[in-house]
Amino acid sequence: MSSNSSMVNEAAPSGEEAGELEAISGAEPLAAKRTARIFCIANQKGGVGKTTTAVNLAAALVAQKQRVLLVDLDPQGNATMGSGIDKRELQATLYQVLIGEASIAEAAKTCESGYDVLPSNRELAGAEIDLVELEERERQLKHAIAAVADRYDFVLIDCPPTLSLLTLNGLAAAHGVIIPMQCEYFALEGLSELVNTIKRVHANLNPDLRVIGLLRVMFDPRVTLQQQVSAQLESHFGDKVFNSIIPRNVRLAEAPSYGLPGVVFDPASKGAQAYVAFGAEMIERMKTL
């Protein structure tokens, strides 16, 4: 056995961990819900394509005639800028929504790609302090989304790469979590920590929260280790792994500098086509959840 195979086997999730994903299930089938399906794009590891996934999934769903709100829950504001909205010129942002000074209807912007964005900038970092003083501080985002949920088919929440009060607000508001992850050794190690976080939120804050699926991103089929990790995910998590695989793609990386999702920037690129397929898979999966 190669050293790579040995490392992958050591980091691979146990059968118990795989079962935990199935155990985290909401009380009501998502297909029965008449308001927006609300999903966090989350992973406590940085640089795994959360924002790329959020903006491209939003654009892909719009292409499927879905009404979409993208919530930028990261103070860096990358999803805001990647959607073509200048975070430096905003009068109202998610920060004002969380502290009760504005509604989502007042703060949201419609971007060129056709979805609405609840934008953020550095000001959002101060919300951590301001929220501590509020009752139900972990549920402020949930209450705000409830006021506009009937306007959308999907609400996508781009979470920061930390377990913070902001992330808790996202998880408390969501019906499910989409976990983008690279097929690498350390990604397997970090997955257990994330699943444990979701379990705690499910038990204490949001009994409707569930893991929707794992999305393999930045995938390079030429790398043997990535093939091995991908096979481990499929073996342990079964249908919790999305069929769609997002390849490592230069055009996806270039798109944010133009203020566009890759799906809009270069629809013919392999990365864009993969996200379009993922959007279609999400819509289809909603029928069975």
Side-chain angles (χ1 to χ4, degrees), residues 55-68:
V55 299
N56 280 283
L57 177 57
L61 289 170
V62 166
Q64 299 277 345
K65 310 299 182 185
Q66 302 296 301
R67 301 168 300 163
V68 181

Side-chain angles (χ1 to χ4, degrees), residues 66-135:
Q66 302 296 301
R67 301 168 300 163
V68 181
L69 172 66
L70 174 60
V71 178
D72 189 351
L73 199 55
D74 192 334
Q76 295 181 81
N78 290 337
T80 299
M81 296 291 280
S83 299
I85 297 170
D86 192 338
K87 64 184 179 183
R88 298 163 295 186
E89 299 180 355
L90 297 170
Q91 299 300 313
T93 69
L94 176 57
Y95 171 75
Q96 280 75 29
V97 171
L98 289 177
I99 63 174
E101 292 183 356
S103 67
I104 291 179
E106 293 167 333
K109 306 284 186 183
T110 301
C111 72
E112 182 181 336
S113 300
Y115 54 88
D116 288 353
V117 180
L118 180 52
S120 293
N121 53 26
R122 292 179 184 175
E123 197 174 28
L124 184 60
E128 294 278 354
I129 298 172
D130 295 328
L131 284 171
V132 170
E133 305 296 326
L134 301 178
E135 292 185 14

